Amino acid sequence: MKKTGLKKHKWNIGIIAAFLVAIILFNQVPADASVTDNIQNCVAAILGHVDDKLSGTFEKSSTNGKLNQMKTDVDAVNTSLNQLISPYMSSLTVWVNDSNTAYNGMQVSITDSKGKVKTAGYVARNGHYEADFSNILKGSYKITYPYIIAGNASSFSIPATIGAGNNRKQLLGNIFQMSMSDIQAMCKAGMISKMAHVGDTISDGTYTYTIIGINQDKPSDAEGNLLPESSYGDVLTVMPLGAPKGATNGQPVTMNAGATPFGVNYAPMNSNNSNSGSWASSQMRSTTMPQYLAKLPQATQNAIGYVQKVTGTYNNWFSGGSNYVTGDKCFLLSSKEVFGGSGASNGSYCTTNEANATFQYQYFSSIATTLESRNINSSANQWWWLRSPDFNYDHKFCIVDHGSSNTHLSDLDIGVFAAFCIY
């Protein structure tokens, strides 16, 4: 009798326990308005509302209140850190002005002064291909990148100084492998001084052109009126000297008159043996220069622009008369542009008015400073015309005579070696 009652009591306890477990695990106890769900109320009391804030002490606040306060504290720390490091942090976007899909995924790398390297791939964006580098320190970097020339990808490296904040940089190719249109694009982007050097010799596949000046000539219209500086980038002044393509390394190039557009052919400045009207009205400018320009490949002609040239006039005084201002696509150098000096026999035979208004090209001031380096070989008489009228005679123009400064009769046929500008 007692044993049977004990079994029945244990059975009732088991049923109640199972029922309570079911309530806890499945929360399936029906509740009406007269029943309070104590379990859910306990959980709510512990967690609190999602937007709770600290109430009293941290220990007595709800869990959500504590979490929300911790998030606020972390955000404040992040803001402080950002303010602390923002003057030193940068981002860099590099890009090639090309929509060639071959660039997609190609890798660009930047190397900092400590040798640490970061890489990024080109992606199509804004009509060309870009690669992004974020969270980098400002400072000096070497950018190594692929650049496609004539269908082949070559690797180039350039130095770059990255400032704080957002930076953008266009990437261009090696000047010795670039087309004339690419070189022009580099000029427009203001990159010429980073990729080329005075004395370097480039090629269009037909002729070679030695760089005699960077950012010395000023672009103009056909009348010689200067263009706004905002309308162009860098200006590259080149002269076909027949030299082999390549870097100069600060040495004079090996010239070859026979490999230039006009070759060893000769022409007069003026058939009437006069320097009246100066360079502006000369036969050389009106007839020979267009013939010279027409010998250049069309792609090279397309890259050439007008620049302002200043030339003196003869008036039987050292100072000379008023200067002429012209806009020229193809021109002879002046006496000052080759020899420097102040004119009137002081380094050249041009008028002092002309010398004071012009400059000496960088190639002739720092590289080609000897007679030999100014003497274009393969020219039978070793003379070549300059556009400056002689300050002392009304029928002579200045020349380069075996590398030195001299003058000659304007109706004499001698060498023609012109220059032009790319921008």
Side-chain angles (χ1 to χ4, degrees), residues 14-255:
I15 292 174
I16 293 170
F19 188 67
L20 290 174
V21 169
I23 291 173
I24 294 171
L25 294 179
F26 302 105
N27 196 25
Q28 293 180 344
V29 176
D32 56 27
S34 62
V35 178
T36 300
D37 188 347
N38 290 324
I39 294 177
Q40 289 186 350
N41 287 342
C42 290
V43 171
I46 294 171
L47 294 181
H49 298 291
V50 293
D51 58 352
D52 270 0
K53 300 184 182 304
L54 287 187
S55 177
T57 64
F58 185 86
E59 292 78 6
K60 293 182 178 180
S61 297
S62 68
T63 300
N64 279 334
K66 295 175 181 177
L67 291 174
N68 289 335
Q69 182 61 44
M70 291 170 64
K71 181 181 184 303
T72 299
D73 293 342
V74 169
D75 288 345
V77 171
N78 284 338
T79 299
S80 298
L81 286 175
N82 288 335
Q83 292 174 345
L84 182 65
I85 67 176
S86 60
Y88 307 97
M89 296 304 295
S90 307
S91 67
L92 171 66
T93 296
V94 296
W95 58 283
V96 289
N97 190 26
D98 199 327
S99 58
N100 188 344
T101 57
Y103 278 108
N104 191 45
M106 284 186 174
Q107 295 295 299
V108 181
S109 68
I110 59 172
T111 306
D112 65 17
S113 58
K114 296 181 179 180
K116 184 178 180 181
V117 179
K118 294 188 71 171
T119 61
Y122 282 129
V123 296
R125 189 190 303 142
N126 299 321
H128 50 238
Y129 279 86
E130 302 183 348
D132 299 319
F133 298 88
S134 59
N135 297 323
I136 59 176
L137 290 172
K138 71 175 185 178
S140 298
Y141 289 84
K142 180 179 74 172
I143 304 175
T144 303
Y145 61 95
Y147 191 87
I148 298 174
I149 300 173
N152 298 314
S154 300
S155 180
F156 301 109
S157 294
I158 58 170
T161 300
I162 308 302
N166 299 324
N167 297 266
R168 288 182 62 83
K169 190 171 187 64
Q170 183 179 4
L171 302 178
L172 294 161
N174 185 300
I175 192 170
F176 304 114
Q177 296 178 285
M178 295 174 71
S179 68
M180 296 304 282
S181 62
D182 284 338
I183 291 172
Q184 184 184 32
M186 181 171 64
C187 289
K188 289 181 181 295
M191 292 282 289
I192 191 70
S193 59
K194 300 180 184 301
M195 307 294 288
H197 304 88
V198 172
D200 288 349
T201 297
I202 58 178
S203 174
D204 61 12
T206 301
Y207 299 110
T208 62
Y209 310 94
T210 298
I211 300 169
I212 63 172
I214 297 176
N215 291 331
Q216 290 188 280
D217 280 298
K218 302 295 185 182
S220 72
D221 61 17
E223 305 302 319
N225 300 304
L226 293 178
L227 301 181
E229 291 187 4
S230 59
S231 66
Y232 60 89
D234 286 334
V235 181
L236 192 68
T237 305
V238 299
M239 189 174 184
L241 296 174
K245 179 179 70 174
T248 176
N249 298 318
Q251 299 300 311
V253 299
T254 301
M255 297 179 286

Side-chain angles (χ1 to χ4, degrees), residues 31-32 36 40 45 197 233 239 243 304 333 342 370 395 402 406 421:
D32 56 27
T36 300
Q40 289 186 350
H197 304 88
M239 189 174 184
I304 297 171
L333 303 188
S342 59
T370 65
H395 58 285
H402 293 77
N406 208 339
C421 295

Side-chain angles (χ1 to χ4, degrees), residues 367-385:
I367 298 177
T369 58
T370 65
L371 297 180
E372 182 182 6
S373 63
R374 294 190 294 261
N375 186 23
I376 301 177
N377 61 30
S378 299
S379 179
N381 57 21
Q382 304 294 293
W383 296 339
W384 47 285
W385 282 119

